[in-house]
Amino acid sequence: MDKNIQIPSDLETSIEKMLDGMDAASRILADGKTSQEGPQADSRARIARIKRSFLSITAAASIVLVGWLGYGMARNSAPQDTFDDPQLAYAEVERVLSSISSNMQHSVRGMEKADEIIGRQQEVYSGIKQSHNRNN
């Protein structure tokens, strides 16, 4: 976990206030129903409050997680300069390009060998196909 990420100091209290408000609203709604429906409505209302609380906590955690990931991606996406001296930077670029060129030469040689093998196989296949056509 990145220790440079700053979590707002009032995040926990904001979440608690939001949950308290939702709980109060659900109690108001439940009070209107319980007087008419009895004890079963109380337990259903309690279960509904628990579900809403769980969903609220999940939503808050998701928002924090998305924010944390977005901040980390934005922070890491910008390239950072590693050379103060332009001559050293140019020398490093030349070294990297030379390495890439060397690796490409190995790949090209491998491709040429593969092309030769494929060419021989095509010649053999063409010979077989011609002899088969002559026999028919």
Side-chain angles (χ1 to χ4, degrees):
M1 193 168 175
D2 193 353
K3 299 197 187 293
N4 295 332
I5 296 175
Q6 296 179 359
I7 297 174
S9 60
D10 65 334
L11 178 66
E12 188 175 339
T13 56
S14 297
I15 292 171
E16 286 176 0
K17 286 180 182 178
M18 179 182 65
L19 292 175
D20 288 343
M22 291 178 71
D23 190 39
S26 63
R27 266 193 250 127
I28 290 170
L29 292 173
D31 285 344
K33 291 179 184 176
T34 54
S35 61
Q36 298 169 357
E37 298 176 5
Q40 287 181 341
D42 268 345
S43 68
R44 281 185 289 212
R46 189 175 304 118
I47 291 171
R49 278 195 309 271
I50 292 170
K51 285 181 182 178
R52 280 192 296 272
S53 296
F54 179 74
L55 291 174
S56 299
I57 291 170
T58 304
S62 298
I63 291 170
V64 169
L65 181 64
V66 167
W68 176 67
L69 289 174
Y71 173 76
M73 291 175 123
R75 201 179 105 240
N76 293 334
S77 66
Q80 297 178 354
D81 290 337
T82 55
F83 292 96
D84 293 330
D85 185 8
Q87 291 176 340
L88 287 175
Y90 184 77
E92 183 65 17
V93 168
E94 281 185 332
R95 185 190 68 76
V96 169
L97 291 176
S98 174
S99 173
I100 291 171
S101 175
S102 174
N103 290 335
M104 289 286 287
Q105 290 298 325
H106 294 297
S107 299
V108 168
R109 284 188 212 121
M111 291 298 291
E112 288 172 352
K113 288 178 184 176
D115 195 33
E116 287 175 21
I117 293 170
I118 291 171
R120 283 188 233 137
Q121 289 175 347
Q122 286 177 341
E123 289 174 14
V124 170
Y125 176 72
S126 295
I128 293 170
K129 190 174 181 182
Q130 287 175 357
S131 68
H132 178 70
N133 287 341
R134 280 187 233 146
N135 292 336
N136 287 334

